[in-house]
Amino acid sequence: MAAAAAVLSRGTAGGGLGRRDGVRSIASLTSGGWEEGLGLTDPYGDQNKNWSLSFGLSTLCSFGLLIAGIILLGTSFVESRETALRSYDEGVHRWIEEVRPALNISRFYLSAKLPAVGDREALVMQTPLEPIDSDDWYFRDSEGGRGVDGYLPLKFQARLALPCFYANCSAGFPEVWTKSQVPPVRSEAPQGSFEIRATGRGSKISTLATPKIPILWGSVATAQSPQPRMKCQSSHGLMVPPRSCYHAQRLAKLCMAIEMDSTGAWQLHSHDNVNGTHHTGGFGCDRKTGFESAGFRPDPCWGPFPNKYLCEKEGKAHTLEVTVRASQDPYFSAAQLTRSSFDFGASRGTRMGEGLACLALGGLVALLPLANCMYTNRQTSSKEEREGLSPGPSCVGCKD
């Protein structure tokens, strides 16, 4: 009412606003159009925008939490972890009672036949494999290994120092690198064959032979843009224009999975082919590589930009690690059941608890958009009531 009196007084005293215009301004104020009458803006405009943003975000979060809770509750009725653990534990018991004792009394002897290179004649290197009761893998289980049976591992291993297979070993690596220093491609690389003489139960002797495996070969890849030269150097490769990046790949690991037949002799165990055609035999130990028996890695000391840290740590010598392990080793069953993640997943109780927590949190977050809707409806109702109780004033004696 004070604002209306001010408008009317300006209209009558200032002379700039007629009586009729003043009354119309008062009508606009009392009918709810005060922003038009006084030329002001709605002070709640930004607040309404913030409410709209929070309404959308809270609705989205609430919907996501509720869906996640429903999915977790649904999966809690499936015994995926429990079924996998039962299968794994059965393998562990068989390993402890049958396989490990048979492996423990066995002996393995490696014979490596290496080709002639340059002036050096072909070589035959021999060494026994030593038993090792430790392993280099571990579980990353969601439940911290709860319910997972423990066991004592056993594998046989040897490290073989291979001779140099580069073009000019006596001169060492050159100061200026060109494409001519790149080793031959894999199909043309020097190849060696490896045999293991295994003594099994009852002194049964068998020979485990691999196909011919390249010892040292050159790989080439297209350096990626932008800055292909810098990316090739960062990978310790040799850049050959326009965009070819070369590395020297050398044989680093050789692992064989074996199984005992009905006569007590050890034989190579062929895994199912999960990664296409096998190049070095499908009796390896790593599921991620399709159970290839051979593993290669770049020579850290080769090229114009060697990996100084690894070169100093490992040295320039070419060392091959040969491993033999039983196919019934719990390592293989754990890799197969968990798809090489070594995580059996969450238990039914954990998934049910997480699902209930998501549902509860989603319900709490849903209170924000609900409160917003209630607030908006209340403001709308109050405005309609004010408009109904305060009709626009009439002007007596005014002429249009």
Side-chain angles (χ1 to χ4, degrees):
M1 295 303 295
V7 171
L8 185 58
S9 63
R10 290 200 303 268
T12 55
L17 182 66
R19 180 184 178 190
R20 180 174 55 192
D21 296 332
V23 173
R24 286 178 178 174
S25 297
I26 296 174
S28 67
L29 288 174
T30 56
S31 63
W34 54 273
E35 67 275 18
E36 297 179 1
L38 295 180
L40 302 176
T41 58
D42 185 1
Y44 296 98
D46 294 337
Q47 183 177 352
N48 291 334
K49 293 180 181 179
N50 294 334
W51 269 108
S52 299
L53 179 61
S54 62
F55 177 83
L57 292 177
S58 57
T59 302
L60 183 62
C61 292
S62 175
F63 182 77
L65 287 170
L66 292 176
I67 292 297
I70 293 173
I71 293 176
L72 287 171
L73 283 179
T75 57
S76 66
F77 294 98
V78 180
E79 296 184 347
S80 56
R81 175 185 175 86
E82 289 74 11
T83 302
L85 280 180
R86 282 195 292 269
S87 178
Y88 174 78
D89 292 343
E90 290 176 1
V92 171
H93 296 159
R94 184 165 58 252
W95 164 262
I96 295 174
E97 297 173 1
E98 303 174 10
V99 182
R100 195 182 192 283
L103 188 63
N104 191 40
I105 62 175
S106 301
R107 295 296 177 264
F108 301 92
Y109 199 82
L110 171 65
S111 177
K113 299 178 181 179
L114 306 178
V117 176
D119 298 334
R120 189 183 66 231
E121 297 181 354
L123 296 176
V124 177
M125 305 181 68
Q126 296 179 335
T127 183
L129 278 73
E130 302 295 335
I132 297 177
D133 58 0
S134 61
D135 226 328
D136 54 359
W137 70 280
Y138 58 92
F139 279 110
R140 294 177 287 272
D141 191 55
S142 298
E143 299 288 339
R146 186 179 60 184
V148 181
D149 287 352
Y151 72 99
L152 182 63
L154 179 62
K155 60 183 179 181
F156 287 79
Q157 199 169 77
R159 296 176 67 86
L160 199 63
L162 301 181
C164 175
F165 279 89
Y166 289 106
N168 191 358
C169 296
S170 58
F173 290 144
E175 295 182 1
V176 179
W177 287 83
T178 62
K179 187 179 178 180
S180 61
Q181 276 83 41
V182 178
V185 296
R186 181 166 183 161
S187 59
E188 302 175 1
Q191 297 181 335
S193 58
F194 301 87
E195 293 182 355
I196 293 181
R197 186 173 181 268
T199 304
R201 188 175 56 208
S203 299
K204 282 284 185 177
I205 298 177
S206 58
T207 301
L208 314 175
T210 69
K212 288 189 175 182
I213 300 175
I215 306 298
L216 177 73
W217 55 283
S219 64
V220 59
T222 302
Q224 300 298 319
S225 297
Q227 298 180 335
R229 181 176 296 276
M230 183 176 295
K231 290 186 177 179
C232 183
Q233 294 177 3
S234 64
S235 65
H236 310 287
L238 171 62
M239 182 71 180
V240 177
R243 295 175 58 184
S244 297
C245 186
Y246 289 88
H247 294 85
Q249 304 285 346
R250 64 185 187 184
L251 181 62
K253 291 185 178 182
L254 183 63
C255 188
M256 305 180 192
I258 59 175
E259 60 184 354
M260 181 171 285
D261 60 17
S262 57
T263 64
W266 291 105
Q267 305 294 337
L268 291 174
H269 172 79
S270 296
H271 301 276
D272 294 333
N273 192 344
V274 297
N275 250 9
T277 304
H278 293 125
H279 296 285
T280 60
F283 44 82
C285 305
D286 192 353
R287 183 180 183 274
K288 293 181 179 179
T289 63
F291 294 110
E292 292 283 358
S293 60
F296 302 89
R297 62 177 300 180
D299 185 348
C301 302
W302 183 87
F305 303 98
N307 189 328
K308 295 182 179 179
Y309 172 75
L310 290 179
C311 187
E312 293 177 358
K313 179 181 178 181
E314 301 177 3
K316 295 183 179 181
H318 186 171
T319 303
L320 172 64
E321 182 182 274
V322 181
T323 305
V324 171
R325 62 194 315 164
S327 61
Q328 295 88 356
D329 192 317
Y331 160 79
F332 288 108
S333 60
Q336 180 181 0
L337 292 170
T338 64
R339 297 182 179 181
S340 299
S341 68
F342 299 102
D343 182 4
F344 287 104
S347 64
R348 291 183 59 190
T350 300
R351 282 176 286 167
M352 182 173 293
E354 292 175 349
L356 293 175
C358 287
L359 289 177
L361 187 58
L364 290 175
V365 176
L367 293 177
L368 184 59
L370 180 62
N372 184 26
C373 291
M374 295 177 61
Y375 176 80
T376 303
N377 292 335
R378 182 177 179 182
Q379 293 297 319
T380 303
S381 300
S382 301
K383 182 177 180 180
E384 291 176 353
E385 291 177 0
R386 288 195 303 269
E387 291 178 351
L389 296 176
S390 303
S394 59
C395 180
V396 181
C398 297
K399 296 181 180 181
D400 294 336

